[in-house]
Amino acid sequence: MKKAYIIVQAHNGRSMLRDLRKAGLLHIESQQVRNEKIEELEKAYNLVNQLASSIADLQDKKTKPKQSSLSEEAFAEVIERYQGLLERKKKLEEEMAQDKIQIESLISWGDFDPEQVRSLAQQGIRLYFYTLSKKDLQKLDPSISYVSLAPVGGLEAIATVGMELPTEVSATRFFLPEYGLGYLQKRFASDEKHLSQTLDSLKEGAVYLDAFTLQAKKLEMAMRFERVGQSLTVEQELTWINGYLPESEVEKFSSLAKSHAWAYLIDDVSDEDTPPTLIKYAKGVGIIKPVFDILGTVPGYRENDISTWFLLFFTLFFAMIIGDAGYGLIFLGLAIGLHAKQKKATTLVMLIYVLSVATLIWGSLTGTWFGSKTILESIPFLQKLVIPSISNYPELFGLSAVEAQNQVMKFCFIIGTVQLSLACVMNVIHKIPEKNLSFIADIGWLIDILALYFIVLQLVVGEPANVAVIFSIVGVGFLLVVGFGSQAPGVPFVKGLLSGLGGFFTTFLNTISAFSNIMSYIRLFAVGMASVAIAQSFNSMASGMLDGWAFIAGVLILVIGHSLNLVMGLLSVVVHGVRLNLLEFSGQLGMEWTGIAYEPFAQTVEEN
């Protein structure tokens, strides 16, 4: 990235921004300011989106009517019309909700005209309505004059004449409503009819959905223009702005500035700057982009690009967590279906292809097909694909379950050690050209991780290890981290050493953390085994329902059970598979994922 400055005369500031926006080269950090103009645009933007969303929700998702284009004047009329319809819809729904509550409360009292009761009150005959139990009614003071009414909800109903019941009487007062039951029911029916007509009118707005989308983009673009305009620095008769652009765009930017007679400066990015990150994926690696987009993660400008390694390990983690070749076939079918529907292999489709094939391979190697041992026993070809030592059904190959599980756990720890060691190597390669002595600390971490791997094997798998020798090696790595962990270009060696000694206890805790990081990769084994166990449980439940009508129930159990297992597996991939990349691996690399994506100030739609 390069940092670019543009200086123009103050009165040319906004015209410069328009030309700059058309070019779409410079990333400008716009300020989150609010003024009357921005608030007006924001209000219009929210209204357009609200109308579009409301109209879209009423449509048949299978068909989309032919779209109509609108001029600015016509669009303003359309907005006004549909805003009125939306407000009418809201008002009718609110009135109907209130009427429904009143109808439900009045239905047990029956239909009567409250106005007649109020008319009696004007004549001096005041009535007060109550519900109470038969027992409480019998206890009423004989001096209280009342009229018995039809029972309400299993309780006695009365209307006292001229006086309210004393507070000590256990009775619930019924307050006279504004309107009677019949009137409310008629109004509810009328509102229901008008609401249906209003919804039909709103549905007709489907022909303008594309126009709404276009207008929303224009308003969004206008809001950004106003915010960027607030970034202009004005002093006397000059105004200037700065931003970032890729090195490959410098020549194009220079030509643009010269053609518009702008004064400009292009400078290197300093350590104090926070430039955006322009991610360029290697060929074939771009299929991981949907995952990064979902997670919303962007590496910092000065951080390593781990997209290739992220894709490789994420694919492996996905396969091991889902763990079933049958599920791999389902994902493969999904990928083929999306490919056929979209008529092209998008990055998402290609990612699903890769993940499904990886799952299919891992499931084949472990002999797992919909969690069914019967399928594996019945098809000899599938047994030939299995590696017995990691099989989920080792008894078919003359091995015990403990032996197979130990091998899978060992494989998980190998993956963890390789990934964490890779992070150390990447740090060393990154730091050596910068003459950053802290690369020696990364070598120390590499030594510790490789040594701690054997401690993990002894504790979990039971493989013997010379603990004294291993801890001696860990000690050497620990000293390297303490001595060189705080070294950096421009920092005196003694100062870095003292700083490292000052963080002695923190480094000790981080060493223990390195041990737990390797251990955490056992989650690949645990989650994979849990998925197999759940699949086996549903298969067992369904196997007892093979006769008569119970067969249908058995099929439903299989479909619902395996669907739930698939969903839980996908959630586990997010929780565990992504975590190992974003926490353990990235943490060892020192990545914080606090980057800002490169988004040039650009014109997204044509202006009128």
Side-chain angles (χ1 to χ4, degrees), residues 315 318 324-325 327-333 335 349-362:
T315 301
F318 184 97
D324 194 301
Y327 295 166
L329 287 175
I330 292 175
F331 285 124
L332 186 59
V349 169
M350 290 304 300
L351 178 63
I352 298 174
Y353 271 128
V354 170
L355 296 178
S356 61
V357 171
T359 305
L360 186 57
I361 292 172
W362 177 259

mmCIF file with all atom_site columns, all heavy atoms in Angstrom, residues 315 318 324-325 327-333 335 349-362:
data_model
loop_
_atom_site.group_PDB
_atom_site.id
_atom_site.type_symbol
_atom_site.label_atom_id
_atom_site.label_alt_id
_atom_site.label_comp_id
_atom_site.label_asym_id
_atom_site.label_entity_id
_atom_site.label_seq_id
_atom_site.pdbx_PDB_ins_code
_atom_site.Cartn_x
_atom_site.Cartn_y
_atom_site.Cartn_z
_atom_site.occupancy
_atom_site.B_iso_or_equiv
_atom_site.pdbx_formal_charge
_atom_site.auth_seq_id
_atom_site.auth_comp_id
_atom_site.auth_asym_id
_atom_site.auth_atom_id
_atom_site.pdbx_PDB_model_num
ATOM 1   N N   . THR A 1 315 ? -10.226 -27.493 5.632  1.00 0.00 ? 315 THR A N   1
ATOM 2   C CA  . THR A 1 315 ? -10.770 -28.630 4.880  1.00 0.00 ? 315 THR A CA  1
ATOM 3   C C   . THR A 1 315 ? -10.568 -29.932 5.654  1.00 0.00 ? 315 THR A C   1
ATOM 4   O O   . THR A 1 315 ? -11.491 -30.759 5.758  1.00 0.00 ? 315 THR A O   1
ATOM 5   C CB  . THR A 1 315 ? -10.095 -28.733 3.498  1.00 0.00 ? 315 THR A CB  1
ATOM 6   O OG1 . THR A 1 315 ? -10.304 -27.517 2.775  1.00 0.00 ? 315 THR A OG1 1
ATOM 7   C CG2 . THR A 1 315 ? -10.654 -29.889 2.701  1.00 0.00 ? 315 THR A CG2 1
ATOM 8   N N   . PHE A 1 318 ? -12.833 -29.906 8.757  1.00 0.00 ? 318 PHE A N   1
ATOM 9   C CA  . PHE A 1 318 ? -14.222 -30.133 8.353  1.00 0.00 ? 318 PHE A CA  1
ATOM 10  C C   . PHE A 1 318 ? -14.457 -31.619 8.121  1.00 0.00 ? 318 PHE A C   1
ATOM 11  O O   . PHE A 1 318 ? -15.446 -32.190 8.606  1.00 0.00 ? 318 PHE A O   1
ATOM 12  C CB  . PHE A 1 318 ? -14.517 -29.342 7.075  1.00 0.00 ? 318 PHE A CB  1
ATOM 13  C CG  . PHE A 1 318 ? -15.949 -29.423 6.612  1.00 0.00 ? 318 PHE A CG  1
ATOM 14  C CD1 . PHE A 1 318 ? -16.848 -28.425 6.936  1.00 0.00 ? 318 PHE A CD1 1
ATOM 15  C CD2 . PHE A 1 318 ? -16.404 -30.490 5.837  1.00 0.00 ? 318 PHE A CD2 1
ATOM 16  C CE1 . PHE A 1 318 ? -18.179 -28.476 6.504  1.00 0.00 ? 318 PHE A CE1 1
ATOM 17  C CE2 . PHE A 1 318 ? -17.717 -30.569 5.414  1.00 0.00 ? 318 PHE A CE2 1
ATOM 18  C CZ  . PHE A 1 318 ? -18.607 -29.554 5.748  1.00 0.00 ? 318 PHE A CZ  1
ATOM 19  N N   . ASP A 1 324 ? -18.169 -38.457 8.118  1.00 0.00 ? 324 ASP A N   1
ATOM 20  C CA  . ASP A 1 324 ? -18.984 -39.528 7.546  1.00 0.00 ? 324 ASP A CA  1
ATOM 21  C C   . ASP A 1 324 ? -19.019 -39.407 6.026  1.00 0.00 ? 324 ASP A C   1
ATOM 22  O O   . ASP A 1 324 ? -19.413 -38.364 5.486  1.00 0.00 ? 324 ASP A O   1
ATOM 23  C CB  . ASP A 1 324 ? -20.402 -39.436 8.118  1.00 0.00 ? 324 ASP A CB  1
ATOM 24  C CG  . ASP A 1 324 ? -21.224 -40.679 7.863  1.00 0.00 ? 324 ASP A CG  1
ATOM 25  O OD1 . ASP A 1 324 ? -21.412 -41.019 6.678  1.00 0.00 ? 324 ASP A OD1 1
ATOM 26  O OD2 . ASP A 1 324 ? -21.670 -41.302 8.837  1.00 0.00 ? 324 ASP A OD2 1
ATOM 27  N N   . ALA A 1 325 ? -18.636 -40.467 5.346  1.00 0.00 ? 325 ALA A N   1
ATOM 28  C CA  . ALA A 1 325 ? -18.605 -40.457 3.886  1.00 0.00 ? 325 ALA A CA  1
ATOM 29  C C   . ALA A 1 325 ? -20.017 -40.286 3.312  1.00 0.00 ? 325 ALA A C   1
ATOM 30  O O   . ALA A 1 325 ? -20.198 -39.684 2.251  1.00 0.00 ? 325 ALA A O   1
ATOM 31  C CB  . ALA A 1 325 ? -17.972 -41.740 3.358  1.00 0.00 ? 325 ALA A CB  1
ATOM 32  N N   . TYR A 1 327 ? -22.403 -38.480 4.600  1.00 0.00 ? 327 TYR A N   1
ATOM 33  C CA  . TYR A 1 327 ? -22.697 -37.043 4.647  1.00 0.00 ? 327 TYR A CA  1
ATOM 34  C C   . TYR A 1 327 ? -21.900 -36.312 3.565  1.00 0.00 ? 327 TYR A C   1
ATOM 35  O O   . TYR A 1 327 ? -22.372 -35.307 3.017  1.00 0.00 ? 327 TYR A O   1
ATOM 36  C CB  . TYR A 1 327 ? -22.334 -36.472 6.017  1.00 0.00 ? 327 TYR A CB  1
ATOM 37  C CG  . TYR A 1 327 ? -23.167 -37.016 7.161  1.00 0.00 ? 327 TYR A CG  1
ATOM 38  C CD1 . TYR A 1 327 ? -22.788 -36.834 8.486  1.00 0.00 ? 327 TYR A CD1 1
ATOM 39  C CD2 . TYR A 1 327 ? -24.349 -37.720 6.914  1.00 0.00 ? 327 TYR A CD2 1
ATOM 40  C CE1 . TYR A 1 327 ? -23.549 -37.325 9.538  1.00 0.00 ? 327 TYR A CE1 1
ATOM 41  C CE2 . TYR A 1 327 ? -25.117 -38.212 7.955  1.00 0.00 ? 327 TYR A CE2 1
ATOM 42  C CZ  . TYR A 1 327 ? -24.709 -38.015 9.267  1.00 0.00 ? 327 TYR A CZ  1
ATOM 43  O OH  . TYR A 1 327 ? -25.462 -38.499 10.295 1.00 0.00 ? 327 TYR A OH  1
ATOM 44  N N   . GLY A 1 328 ? -20.709 -36.819 3.273  1.00 0.00 ? 328 GLY A N   1
ATOM 45  C CA  . GLY A 1 328 ? -19.913 -36.245 2.196  1.00 0.00 ? 328 GLY A CA  1
ATOM 46  C C   . GLY A 1 328 ? -20.641 -36.340 0.869  1.00 0.00 ? 328 GLY A C   1
ATOM 47  O O   . GLY A 1 328 ? -20.609 -35.406 0.055  1.00 0.00 ? 328 GLY A O   1
ATOM 48  N N   . LEU A 1 329 ? -21.336 -37.467 0.647  1.00 0.00 ? 329 LEU A N   1
ATOM 49  C CA  . LEU A 1 329 ? -22.124 -37.629 -0.583 1.00 0.00 ? 329 LEU A CA  1
ATOM 50  C C   . LEU A 1 329 ? -23.273 -36.624 -0.634 1.00 0.00 ? 329 LEU A C   1
ATOM 51  O O   . LEU A 1 329 ? -23.609 -36.092 -1.703 1.00 0.00 ? 329 LEU A O   1
ATOM 52  C CB  . LEU A 1 329 ? -22.680 -39.052 -0.657 1.00 0.00 ? 329 LEU A CB  1
ATOM 53  C CG  . LEU A 1 329 ? -21.672 -40.165 -0.980 1.00 0.00 ? 329 LEU A CG  1
ATOM 54  C CD1 . LEU A 1 329 ? -22.338 -41.534 -0.890 1.00 0.00 ? 329 LEU A CD1 1
ATOM 55  C CD2 . LEU A 1 329 ? -21.059 -39.960 -2.360 1.00 0.00 ? 329 LEU A CD2 1
ATOM 56  N N   . ILE A 1 330 ? -23.889 -36.351 0.528  1.00 0.00 ? 330 ILE A N   1
ATOM 57  C CA  . ILE A 1 330 ? -24.972 -35.363 0.582  1.00 0.00 ? 330 ILE A CA  1
ATOM 58  C C   . ILE A 1 330 ? -24.450 -33.982 0.200  1.00 0.00 ? 330 ILE A C   1
ATOM 59  O O   . ILE A 1 330 ? -25.066 -33.257 -0.597 1.00 0.00 ? 330 ILE A O   1
ATOM 60  C CB  . ILE A 1 330 ? -25.602 -35.331 1.991  1.00 0.00 ? 330 ILE A CB  1
ATOM 61  C CG1 . ILE A 1 330 ? -26.352 -36.644 2.264  1.00 0.00 ? 330 ILE A CG1 1
ATOM 62  C CG2 . ILE A 1 330 ? -26.556 -34.143 2.132  1.00 0.00 ? 330 ILE A CG2 1
ATOM 63  C CD1 . ILE A 1 330 ? -26.901 -36.764 3.672  1.00 0.00 ? 330 ILE A CD1 1
ATOM 64  N N   . PHE A 1 331 ? -23.294 -33.608 0.761  1.00 0.00 ? 331 PHE A N   1
ATOM 65  C CA  . PHE A 1 331 ? -22.698 -32.306 0.425  1.00 0.00 ? 331 PHE A CA  1
ATOM 66  C C   . PHE A 1 331 ? -22.315 -32.250 -1.053 1.00 0.00 ? 331 PHE A C   1
ATOM 67  O O   . PHE A 1 331 ? -22.451 -31.207 -1.694 1.00 0.00 ? 331 PHE A O   1
ATOM 68  C CB  . PHE A 1 331 ? -21.465 -32.052 1.291  1.00 0.00 ? 331 PHE A CB  1
ATOM 69  C CG  . PHE A 1 331 ? -21.787 -31.687 2.707  1.00 0.00 ? 331 PHE A CG  1
ATOM 70  C CD1 . PHE A 1 331 ? -21.278 -32.419 3.763  1.00 0.00 ? 331 PHE A CD1 1
ATOM 71  C CD2 . PHE A 1 331 ? -22.608 -30.607 3.004  1.00 0.00 ? 331 PHE A CD2 1
ATOM 72  C CE1 . PHE A 1 331 ? -21.575 -32.096 5.069  1.00 0.00 ? 331 PHE A CE1 1
ATOM 73  C CE2 . PHE A 1 331 ? -22.921 -30.271 4.303  1.00 0.00 ? 331 PHE A CE2 1
ATOM 74  C CZ  . PHE A 1 331 ? -22.402 -31.016 5.352  1.00 0.00 ? 331 PHE A CZ  1
ATOM 75  N N   . LEU A 1 332 ? -21.836 -33.378 -1.582 1.00 0.00 ? 332 LEU A N   1
ATOM 76  C CA  . LEU A 1 332 ? -21.469 -33.424 -2.998 1.00 0.00 ? 332 LEU A CA  1
ATOM 77  C C   . LEU A 1 332 ? -22.703 -33.228 -3.875 1.00 0.00 ? 332 LEU A C   1
ATOM 78  O O   . LEU A 1 332 ? -22.662 -32.490 -4.871 1.00 0.00 ? 332 LEU A O   1
ATOM 79  C CB  . LEU A 1 332 ? -20.806 -34.770 -3.317 1.00 0.00 ? 332 LEU A CB  1
ATOM 80  C CG  . LEU A 1 332 ? -20.223 -34.925 -4.722 1.00 0.00 ? 332 LEU A CG  1
ATOM 81  C CD1 . LEU A 1 332 ? -19.156 -33.871 -4.998 1.00 0.00 ? 332 LEU A CD1 1
ATOM 82  C CD2 . LEU A 1 332 ? -19.646 -36.329 -4.905 1.00 0.00 ? 332 LEU A CD2 1
ATOM 83  N N   . GLY A 1 333 ? -23.814 -33.853 -3.477 1.00 0.00 ? 333 GLY A N   1
ATOM 84  C CA  . GLY A 1 333 ? -25.064 -33.663 -4.211 1.00 0.00 ? 333 GLY A CA  1
ATOM 85  C C   . GLY A 1 333 ? -25.540 -32.222 -4.145 1.00 0.00 ? 333 GLY A C   1
ATOM 86  O O   . GLY A 1 333 ? -26.040 -31.672 -5.134 1.00 0.00 ? 333 GLY A O   1
ATOM 87  N N   . ALA A 1 335 ? -23.599 -29.588 -3.816 1.00 0.00 ? 335 ALA A N   1
ATOM 88  C CA  . ALA A 1 335 ? -22.716 -28.807 -4.686 1.00 0.00 ? 335 ALA A CA  1
ATOM 89  C C   . ALA A 1 335 ? -23.119 -28.958 -6.154 1.00 0.00 ? 335 ALA A C   1
ATOM 90  O O   . ALA A 1 335 ? -23.165 -27.965 -6.905 1.00 0.00 ? 335 ALA A O   1
ATOM 91  C CB  . ALA A 1 335 ? -21.267 -29.253 -4.491 1.00 0.00 ? 335 ALA A CB  1
ATOM 92  N N   . VAL A 1 349 ? -19.693 -22.711 -4.392 1.00 0.00 ? 349 VAL A N   1
ATOM 93  C CA  . VAL A 1 349 ? -19.903 -24.052 -4.946 1.00 0.00 ? 349 VAL A CA  1
ATOM 94  C C   . VAL A 1 349 ? -18.598 -24.838 -4.944 1.00 0.00 ? 349 VAL A C   1
ATOM 95  O O   . VAL A 1 349 ? -18.556 -26.020 -4.556 1.00 0.00 ? 349 VAL A O   1
ATOM 96  C CB  . VAL A 1 349 ? -20.482 -23.956 -6.369 1.00 0.00 ? 349 VAL A CB  1
ATOM 97  C CG1 . VAL A 1 349 ? -20.456 -25.329 -7.053 1.00 0.00 ? 349 VAL A CG1 1
ATOM 98  C CG2 . VAL A 1 349 ? -21.903 -23.406 -6.333 1.00 0.00 ? 349 VAL A CG2 1
ATOM 99  N N   . MET A 1 350 ? -17.510 -24.196 -5.354 1.00 0.00 ? 350 MET A N   1
ATOM 100 C CA  . MET A 1 350 ? -16.217 -24.877 -5.378 1.00 0.00 ? 350 MET A CA  1
ATOM 101 C C   . MET A 1 350 ? -15.772 -25.255 -3.965 1.00 0.00 ? 350 MET A C   1
ATOM 102 O O   . MET A 1 350 ? -15.190 -26.326 -3.758 1.00 0.00 ? 350 MET A O   1
ATOM 103 C CB  . MET A 1 350 ? -15.162 -23.975 -6.038 1.00 0.00 ? 350 MET A CB  1
ATOM 104 C CG  . MET A 1 350 ? -15.351 -23.781 -7.526 1.00 0.00 ? 350 MET A CG  1
ATOM 105 S SD  . MET A 1 350 ? -15.404 -25.346 -8.444 1.00 0.00 ? 350 MET A SD  1
ATOM 106 C CE  . MET A 1 350 ? -13.788 -26.028 -8.065 1.00 0.00 ? 350 MET A CE  1
ATOM 107 N N   . LEU A 1 351 ? -16.047 -24.391 -2.987 1.00 0.00 ? 351 LEU A N   1
ATOM 108 C CA  . LEU A 1 351 ? -15.701 -24.714 -1.597 1.00 0.00 ? 351 LEU A CA  1
ATOM 109 C C   . LEU A 1 351 ? -16.480 -25.946 -1.127 1.00 0.00 ? 351 LEU A C   1
ATOM 110 O O   . LEU A 1 351 ? -15.905 -26.845 -0.485 1.00 0.00 ? 351 LEU A O   1
ATOM 111 C CB  . LEU A 1 351 ? -16.008 -23.522 -0.689 1.00 0.00 ? 351 LEU A CB  1
ATOM 112 C CG  . LEU A 1 351 ? -15.734 -23.730 0.808  1.00 0.00 ? 351 LEU A CG  1
ATOM 113 C CD1 . LEU A 1 351 ? -14.251 -23.986 1.057  1.00 0.00 ? 351 LEU A CD1 1
ATOM 114 C CD2 . LEU A 1 351 ? -16.211 -22.535 1.621  1.00 0.00 ? 351 LEU A CD2 1
ATOM 115 N N   . ILE A 1 352 ? -17.775 -26.006 -1.460 1.00 0.00 ? 352 ILE A N   1
ATOM 116 C CA  . ILE A 1 352 ? -18.580 -27.166 -1.053 1.00 0.00 ? 352 ILE A CA  1
ATOM 117 C C   . ILE A 1 352 ? -18.062 -28.432 -1.743 1.00 0.00 ? 352 ILE A C   1
ATOM 118 O O   . ILE A 1 352 ? -18.029 -29.513 -1.132 1.00 0.00 ? 352 ILE A O   1
ATOM 119 C CB  . ILE A 1 352 ? -20.067 -26.933 -1.370 1.00 0.00 ? 352 ILE A CB  1
ATOM 120 C CG1 . ILE A 1 352 ? -20.587 -25.733 -0.581 1.00 0.00 ? 352 ILE A CG1 1
ATOM 121 C CG2 . ILE A 1 352 ? -20.894 -28.166 -1.030 1.00 0.00 ? 352 ILE A CG2 1
ATOM 122 C CD1 . ILE A 1 352 ? -22.023 -25.341 -0.930 1.00 0.00 ? 352 ILE A CD1 1
ATOM 123 N N   . TYR A 1 353 ? -17.655 -28.300 -3.009 1.00 0.00 ? 353 TYR A N   1
ATOM 124 C CA  . TYR A 1 353 ? -17.060 -29.456 -3.701 1.00 0.00 ? 353 TYR A CA  1
ATOM 125 C C   . TYR A 1 353 ? -15.838 -29.976 -2.923 1.00 0.00 ? 353 TYR A C   1
ATOM 126 O O   . TYR A 1 353 ? -15.710 -31.170 -2.657 1.00 0.00 ? 353 TYR A O   1
ATOM 127 C CB  . TYR A 1 353 ? -16.612 -29.057 -5.114 1.00 0.00 ? 353 TYR A CB  1
ATOM 128 C CG  . TYR A 1 353 ? -17.661 -29.218 -6.185 1.00 0.00 ? 353 TYR A CG  1
ATOM 129 C CD1 . TYR A 1 353 ? -17.965 -28.159 -7.046 1.00 0.00 ? 353 TYR A CD1 1
ATOM 130 C CD2 . TYR A 1 353 ? -18.317 -30.415 -6.378 1.00 0.00 ? 353 TYR A CD2 1
ATOM 131 C CE1 . TYR A 1 353 ? -18.928 -28.296 -8.049 1.00 0.00 ? 353 TYR A CE1 1
ATOM 132 C CE2 . TYR A 1 353 ? -19.277 -30.566 -7.380 1.00 0.00 ? 353 TYR A CE2 1
ATOM 133 C CZ  . TYR A 1 353 ? -19.579 -29.499 -8.205 1.00 0.00 ? 353 TYR A CZ  1
ATOM 134 O OH  . TYR A 1 353 ? -20.518 -29.655 -9.190 1.00 0.00 ? 353 TYR A OH  1
ATOM 135 N N   . VAL A 1 354 ? -14.939 -29.074 -2.578 1.00 0.00 ? 354 VAL A N   1
ATOM 136 C CA  . VAL A 1 354 ? -13.699 -29.462 -1.886 1.00 0.00 ? 354 VAL A CA  1
ATOM 137 C C   . VAL A 1 354 ? -14.012 -30.098 -0.539 1.00 0.00 ? 354 VAL A C   1
ATOM 138 O O   . VAL A 1 354 ? -13.465 -31.148 -0.185 1.00 0.00 ? 354 VAL A O   1
ATOM 139 C CB  . VAL A 1 354 ? -12.777 -28.237 -1.714 1.00 0.00 ? 354 VAL A CB  1
ATOM 140 C CG1 . VAL A 1 354 ? -11.607 -28.563 -0.799 1.00 0.00 ? 354 VAL A CG1 1
ATOM 141 C CG2 . VAL A 1 354 ? -12.260 -27.763 -3.066 1.00 0.00 ? 354 VAL A CG2 1
ATOM 142 N N   . LEU A 1 355 ? -14.893 -29.466 0.234  1.00 0.00 ? 355 LEU A N   1
ATOM 143 C CA  . LEU A 1 355 ? -15.223 -29.978 1.565  1.00 0.00 ? 355 LEU A CA  1
ATOM 144 C C   . LEU A 1 355 ? -15.930 -31.324 1.482  1.00 0.00 ? 355 LEU A C   1
ATOM 145 O O   . LEU A 1 355 ? -15.672 -32.219 2.305  1.00 0.00 ? 355 LEU A O   1
ATOM 146 C CB  . LEU A 1 355 ? -16.099 -28.970 2.305  1.00 0.00 ? 355 LEU A CB  1
ATOM 147 C CG  . LEU A 1 355 ? -15.467 -27.608 2.618  1.00 0.00 ? 355 LEU A CG  1
ATOM 148 C CD1 . LEU A 1 355 ? -16.474 -26.693 3.308  1.00 0.00 ? 355 LEU A CD1 1
ATOM 149 C CD2 . LEU A 1 355 ? -14.221 -27.756 3.476  1.00 0.00 ? 355 LEU A CD2 1
ATOM 150 N N   . SER A 1 356 ? -16.811 -31.488 0.492  1.00 0.00 ? 356 SER A N   1
ATOM 151 C CA  . SER A 1 356 ? -17.538 -32.756 0.360  1.00 0.00 ? 356 SER A CA  1
ATOM 152 C C   . SER A 1 356 ? -16.600 -33.890 -0.030 1.00 0.00 ? 356 SER A C   1
ATOM 153 O O   . SER A 1 356 ? -16.695 -34.998 0.514  1.00 0.00 ? 356 SER A O   1
ATOM 154 C CB  . SER A 1 356 ? -18.661 -32.615 -0.665 1.00 0.00 ? 356 SER A CB  1
ATOM 155 O OG  . SER A 1 356 ? -18.148 -32.288 -1.945 1.00 0.00 ? 356 SER A OG  1
ATOM 156 N N   . VAL A 1 357 ? -15.676 -33.614 -0.946 1.00 0.00 ? 357 VAL A N   1
ATOM 157 C CA  . VAL A 1 357 ? -14.718 -34.649 -1.365 1.00 0.00 ? 357 VAL A CA  1
ATOM 158 C C   . VAL A 1 357 ? -13.808 -35.027 -0.208 1.00 0.00 ? 357 VAL A C   1
ATOM 159 O O   . VAL A 1 357 ? -13.513 -36.217 0.021  1.00 0.00 ? 357 VAL A O   1
ATOM 160 C CB  . VAL A 1 357 ? -13.896 -34.172 -2.582 1.00 0.00 ? 357 VAL A CB  1
ATOM 161 C CG1 . VAL A 1 357 ? -12.754 -35.135 -2.872 1.00 0.00 ? 357 VAL A CG1 1
ATOM 162 C CG2 . VAL A 1 357 ? -14.787 -34.039 -3.812 1.00 0.00 ? 357 VAL A CG2 1
ATOM 163 N N   . ALA A 1 358 ? -13.355 -34.028 0.552  1.00 0.00 ? 358 ALA A N   1
ATOM 164 C CA  . ALA A 1 358 ? -12.497 -34.304 1.709  1.00 0.00 ? 358 ALA A CA  1
ATOM 165 C C   . ALA A 1 358 ? -13.232 -35.162 2.739  1.00 0.00 ? 358 ALA A C   1
ATOM 166 O O   . ALA A 1 358 ? -12.666 -36.112 3.303  1.00 0.00 ? 358 ALA A O   1
ATOM 167 C CB  . ALA A 1 358 ? -12.031 -32.998 2.346  1.00 0.00 ? 358 ALA A CB  1
ATOM 168 N N   . THR A 1 359 ? -14.505 -34.842 2.979  1.00 0.00 ? 359 THR A N   1
ATOM 169 C CA  . THR A 1 359 ? -15.316 -35.616 3.926  1.00 0.00 ? 359 THR A CA  1
ATOM 170 C C   . THR A 1 359 ? -15.529 -37.029 3.413  1.00 0.00 ? 359 THR A C   1
ATOM 171 O O   . THR A 1 359 ? -15.485 -38.003 4.184  1.00 0.00 ? 359 THR A O   1
ATOM 172 C CB  . THR A 1 359 ? -16.679 -34.928 4.145  1.00 0.00 ? 359 THR A CB  1
ATOM 173 O OG1 . THR A 1 359 ? -16.462 -33.580 4.550  1.00 0.00 ? 359 THR A OG1 1
ATOM 174 C CG2 . THR A 1 359 ? -17.490 -35.646 5.208  1.00 0.00 ? 359 THR A CG2 1
ATOM 175 N N   . LEU A 1 360 ? -15.750 -37.150 2.125  1.00 0.00 ? 360 LEU A N   1
ATOM 176 C CA  . LEU A 1 360 ? -15.940 -38.461 1.509  1.00 0.00 ? 360 LEU A CA  1
ATOM 177 C C   . LEU A 1 360 ? -14.681 -39.318 1.661  1.00 0.00 ? 360 LEU A C   1
ATOM 178 O O   . LEU A 1 360 ? -14.752 -40.513 1.990  1.00 0.00 ? 360 LEU A O   1
ATOM 179 C CB  . LEU A 1 360 ? -16.290 -38.281 0.030  1.00 0.00 ? 360 LEU A CB  1
ATOM 180 C CG  . LEU A 1 360 ? -16.681 -39.516 -0.788 1.00 0.00 ? 360 LEU A CG  1
ATOM 181 C CD1 . LEU A 1 360 ? -17.867 -40.223 -0.160 1.00 0.00 ? 360 LEU A CD1 1
ATOM 182 C CD2 . LEU A 1 360 ? -17.014 -39.105 -2.213 1.00 0.00 ? 360 LEU A CD2 1
ATOM 183 N N   . ILE A 1 361 ? -13.523 -38.700 1.466  1.00 0.00 ? 361 ILE A N   1
ATOM 184 C CA  . ILE A 1 361 ? -12.256 -39.436 1.601  1.00 0.00 ? 361 ILE A CA  1
ATOM 185 C C   . ILE A 1 361 ? -12.028 -39.863 3.044  1.00 0.00 ? 361 ILE A C   1
ATOM 186 O O   . ILE A 1 361 ? -11.714 -41.035 3.318  1.00 0.00 ? 361 ILE A O   1
ATOM 187 C CB  . ILE A 1 361 ? -11.079 -38.565 1.102  1.00 0.00 ? 361 ILE A CB  1
ATOM 188 C CG1 . ILE A 1 361 ? -11.177 -38.353 -0.412 1.00 0.00 ? 361 ILE A CG1 1
ATOM 189 C CG2 . ILE A 1 361 ? -9.741  -39.216 1.456  1.00 0.00 ? 361 ILE A CG2 1
ATOM 190 C CD1 . ILE A 1 361 ? -10.174 -37.361 -0.968 1.00 0.00 ? 361 ILE A CD1 1
ATOM 191 N N   . TRP A 1 362 ? -12.191 -38.906 4.003  1.00 0.00 ? 362 TRP A N   1
ATOM 192 C CA  . TRP A 1 362 ? -11.945 -39.258 5.406  1.00 0.00 ? 362 TRP A CA  1
ATOM 193 C C   . TRP A 1 362 ? -12.939 -40.317 5.887  1.00 0.00 ? 362 TRP A C   1
ATOM 194 O O   . TRP A 1 362 ? -12.563 -41.268 6.577  1.00 0.00 ? 362 TRP A O   1
ATOM 195 C CB  . TRP A 1 362 ? -12.038 -38.008 6.283  1.00 0.00 ? 362 TRP A CB  1
ATOM 196 C CG  . TRP A 1 362 ? -11.863 -38.314 7.742  1.00 0.00 ? 362 TRP A CG  1
ATOM 197 C CD1 . TRP A 1 362 ? -12.835 -38.424 8.696  1.00 0.00 ? 362 TRP A CD1 1
ATOM 198 C CD2 . TRP A 1 362 ? -10.631 -38.595 8.411  1.00 0.00 ? 362 TRP A CD2 1
ATOM 199 N NE1 . TRP A 1 362 ? -12.290 -38.742 9.908  1.00 0.00 ? 362 TRP A NE1 1
ATOM 200 C CE2 . TRP A 1 362 ? -10.927 -38.852 9.766  1.00 0.00 ? 362 TRP A CE2 1
ATOM 201 C CE3 . TRP A 1 362 ? -9.297  -38.644 7.999  1.00 0.00 ? 362 TRP A CE3 1
ATOM 202 C CZ2 . TRP A 1 362 ? -9.959  -39.147 10.714 1.00 0.00 ? 362 TRP A CZ2 1
ATOM 203 C CZ3 . TRP A 1 362 ? -8.318  -38.932 8.942  1.00 0.00 ? 362 TRP A CZ3 1
ATOM 204 C CH2 . TRP A 1 362 ? -8.646  -39.185 10.278 1.00 0.00 ? 362 TRP A CH2 1
#
